[in-house]
Amino acid sequence: MNKKIAFAGVDIGTTGARCCIFDGNGVLLSTAKRNYRMIQPKIGWVEQNPDEIVSAVYTSMSEALSQLKGGYEIEAIGLSSIFHSIMLVDSEMKKLTNLIIWGDNRSTELLKRYAKAFDHLYDLTGCPLHVNYPLSKLVWFRHEAPDLLEKASKIVMIKEYILWNLSKVNAIDISVASGSGLLNIREKTWEKSIFDELKISMNKLSPAVSPLTVIGKMVSESSFQTGFKEGTPIVIGGGDGALSSLGSGSIARGVMAAMLGTSGAVRMAVNKPLTDKRRRTWCYILDDETWIVGCAINNAGLVMAWYLDNFYPELKGEEDPYREMERWASDVEAGSSGLLFLPFLTGERCPFWNANARGVLFGLALHHDRRHVSRAIIEGVAFRMKSIYEAVSEVAEVPKEIRGTGGLMRFSLWAKVLSSVLGRPISRVNIEEASSFGAAIMAMRGVGYISSYSEILNKALEIVDEIVPESSWFDLYNKLYELYKRLYWKLQEEFDEICTFQ
């Protein structure tokens, strides 16, 4: 009797860790998630406790495994993680700092000192010079915590910290590394000129390897914590955004992935590194032969969570408080009765990389209530998505098809508003946890279970429905988008001034 095999995809996201287990045909068998906190010790700082993340990974893996029925054996584990994180550890891989993640803006002013010295990096690393990237945090460590930087044995990202706890191996994949601003995406090696400029030893970095590498095996300690069999192969995998494109089948030419989650992004796969003369887009790595051109926004579901947590904390006990917000927003017409929201609560990433941009609620009047604010948030995020859609379409190509991914895409109103703002249909697929699925696919290919992604995507992936633009909203949203852009550009000096005040 042939054994029944399965593959696990572990996704270390911004707000939580998820483990999904799939059978050999890509059918989801079980899933579990555990959230963790963001820590804001000062204004503009965003950190996380990496040991909380390790605990969440262990718990999600244990729970997903406990749900697994039918005598399946886990053949391999694939890892997905956020792109932009950094921390310092000692020689035993114990934390010397918390994890600093992409929403952290502490290095805004320091980074300006390096505008000339690092001007050449965009075409090499695919990452514009911006505070979201680990490069900027490295600058901060060099200037504000040099003794700690000197003491550190290694500079790592969260993927490395998790991998060490699972397998006692030091390594990072070229996919996650490509989102650090520290890797030459053309040579697929660490960019030496950065470390020469900052006078930091490159020995503090882990080896950067192919995302398809079987990097190690589960050790006894993590086996005890998770229930996964000791010796289970671990495929290092890639960055969550790139794996989301893979898991949603959005890696064919002309297919764009539009993701709405805690953050938002649009991405297209290309067969060579592509950068933008205007430096609006980034270019990361999926695997040895595929790059991802895209744009990302900091503030999508993050804004919705901020709004509900701070103004309606009584909803925290609800099973799905975001549904309540969607109901409020559905009660008002498109345009939110003349209320416009610029959702820059943590600054702007793409397309104009303004870390000092701040949130604006424009047009507020006595007739507005929580319903209008809720809808204005949804529409404001959609306008941000349109600005990055336009940039990627220009740099790569205008997509023939757009596939919606991310947790917010399961909400009908969010999907409908985005489709209407873009003026394009959006296909939704049957895979909700695209990053975890992408990690599992990497595991399948890494251990030789499949020889190409299409082998599993053709079996597992289906288009569930297509969201089409609401014709009565399209012209209105075009007019509001023009107002949104004018308002944004008129406030540049004011953004700087209020940030100084803050």
Side-chain angles (χ1 to χ4, degrees):
M1 180 175 171
N2 293 331
K3 68 176 181 179
K4 298 167 70 175
I5 64 173
F7 296 84
V10 177
D11 179 39
I12 305 110
T14 299
T15 57
R18 186 185 299 273
C19 178
C20 297
I21 300 177
F22 302 87
D23 72 10
N25 291 316
V27 175
L28 180 65
L29 300 174
S30 67
T31 182
K33 182 180 181 182
R34 278 292 176 270
N35 292 331
Y36 29 79
R37 300 173 300 152
M38 286 189 188
I39 304 166
Q40 295 182 284
K42 296 182 182 181
I43 292 176
W45 292 31
V46 185
E47 301 178 353
Q48 290 176 318
N49 182 340
D51 293 323
E52 282 187 19
I53 299 176
V54 171
S55 178
V57 169
Y58 283 162
T59 303
S60 65
M61 292 177 71
S62 175
E63 291 189 357
L65 191 64
S66 70
Q67 297 169 18
L68 192 62
K69 308 299 180 185
Y72 284 92
E73 293 184 29
I74 306 298
E75 190 80 356
I77 302 164
L79 300 180
S80 162
S81 79
I82 59 172
F83 270 106
H84 322 303
S85 68
I86 192 171
M87 61 184 288
L88 304 181
V89 297
D90 65 16
S91 59
E92 297 180 345
M93 283 292 283
K94 302 293 185 183
K95 68 171 187 174
L96 295 176
T97 68
N98 272 337
L99 184 74
I100 305 174
I101 62 171
W102 50 267
D104 187 283
N105 290 333
R106 73 184 66 182
S107 50
T108 300
E109 293 304 316
L110 280 173
L111 199 58
K112 293 177 182 178
R113 302 184 192 179
Y114 289 86
K116 183 176 181 181
F118 288 161
D119 183 65
H120 67 292
L121 291 180
Y122 172 65
D123 286 329
L124 299 178
T125 68
C127 300
L129 196 62
H130 189 264
V131 293
N132 280 134
Y133 290 109
L135 167 60
S136 73
K137 281 67 170 180
L138 207 52
V139 168
W140 186 89
F141 280 126
R142 165 50 65 211
H143 286 269
E144 300 297 328
D147 293 343
L148 196 57
L149 183 60
E150 190 66 28
K151 178 184 176 182
S153 177
K154 294 190 75 64
I155 301 162
V156 302
M157 304 169 210
I158 191 58
K159 169 78 77 74
E160 293 159 90
Y161 197 69
I162 298 299
L163 180 62
W164 173 262
N165 278 274
L166 292 176
S167 67
K168 303 306 179 198
V169 172
N170 273 322
I172 188 64
D173 57 90
I174 57 173
S175 177
V176 168
S178 71
S180 68
L182 302 171
L183 188 89
N184 186 315
I185 62 169
R186 301 175 188 278
E187 303 295 331
K188 300 174 186 172
T189 57
W190 298 114
E191 178 52 41
K192 185 175 181 295
S193 65
I194 296 171
F195 298 90
D196 289 344
E197 177 69 29
L198 296 177
K199 298 179 173 58
I200 297 173
S201 170
M202 294 180 70
N203 292 331
K204 293 181 184 289
L205 302 173
S206 300
V209 302
S210 166
L212 295 167
T213 302
V214 180
I215 199 63
K217 297 180 179 180
M218 179 159 284
V219 297
S220 59
E221 179 184 342
S222 54
S223 172
F224 175 77
Q225 294 282 351
T226 65
F228 279 67
K229 184 178 178 181
E230 183 178 352
T232 302
I234 298 174
V235 174
I236 195 167
D240 56 357
L243 290 179
S244 177
S245 289
L246 172 59
S248 62
S250 306
I251 56 172
R253 179 165 183 179
V255 179
M256 174 183 283
M259 186 278 291
L260 277 176
T262 303
S263 58
V266 295
R267 312 180 189 93
M268 296 188 78
V270 293
N271 61 6
K272 62 181 179 181
L274 282 182
T275 52
D276 175 27
K277 291 180 180 178
R278 295 169 61 186
R279 303 192 179 191
R280 295 166 297 172
T281 59
W282 41 253
C283 185
Y284 306 152
I285 293 171
L286 170 64
D287 60 23
D288 302 293
E289 300 174 344
T290 310
W291 288 257
I292 303 290
V293 172
C295 279
I297 64 174
N298 287 351
N299 306 281
L302 183 69
V303 182
M304 184 168 64
W306 162 82
Y307 178 57
L308 292 177
D309 289 349
N310 287 282
F311 294 95
Y312 301 97
E314 67 274 12
L315 292 177
K316 283 187 177 180
E318 298 288 330
E319 183 177 344
D320 194 348
Y322 299 153
R323 289 287 181 199
E324 187 68 16
M325 180 179 167
E326 186 179 43
R327 283 193 289 270
W328 297 341
S330 298
D331 279 346
V332 297
E333 298 293 329
S336 308
S337 294
L339 191 61
L340 193 61
F341 184 64
L342 274 60
F344 303 113
L345 300 190
T346 62
E348 180 192 35
R349 210 184 315 184
C350 303
F352 303 115
W353 307 94
N354 184 357
N356 284 346
R358 288 295 180 266
V360 177
L361 195 57
F362 180 72
L364 193 63
L366 285 174
H367 66 277
H368 291 127
D369 57 34
R370 66 184 181 182
R371 300 171 303 161
H372 302 90
V373 175
S374 298
R375 182 151 192 144
I377 288 173
I378 296 171
E379 292 172 342
V381 171
F383 292 145
R384 293 286 298 112
M385 291 290 286
K386 182 169 183 174
S387 68
I388 62 176
Y389 163 85
E390 291 174 337
V392 173
S393 297
E394 184 178 328
V395 174
E397 62 178 305
V398 176
K400 299 172 184 175
E401 178 187 355
I402 302 174
R403 291 191 175 180
T405 68
L408 293 184
M409 277 294 180
R410 64 191 171 96
F411 295 106
S412 298
L413 184 61
W414 280 87
K416 192 72 169 180
V417 168
L418 181 59
S419 173
S420 300
V421 167
L422 297 182
R424 298 288 306 273
I426 298 176
S427 302
R428 295 193 292 191
V429 298
N430 61 324
I431 304 294
E432 287 192 10
E433 301 303 331
S435 295
S436 295
F437 186 44
I441 294 173
M442 284 270 186
M444 293 177 186
R445 190 167 173 185
V447 297
Y449 176 74
I450 57 174
S451 58
S452 68
Y453 302 135
S454 60
E455 287 182 44
I456 197 71
L457 289 172
N458 291 341
K459 293 178 182 178
L461 204 67
E462 297 177 1
I463 302 296
V464 174
D465 60 12
E466 185 179 64
I467 307 298
V468 297
E470 185 69 43
S471 58
S472 61
W473 297 356
F474 180 66
D475 289 339
L476 172 65
Y477 282 151
N478 273 341
K479 292 177 182 177
L480 285 176
Y481 180 60
E482 293 303 315
L483 177 58
Y484 153 86
K485 289 192 293 184
R486 293 200 306 274
L487 185 61
Y488 170 83
W489 288 113
K490 286 180 179 180
L491 289 174
Q492 297 302 301
E493 291 183 9
E494 288 75 13
F495 284 148
D496 291 343
E497 189 172 345
I498 200 66
C499 282
T500 301
F501 181 81
Q502 290 176 350

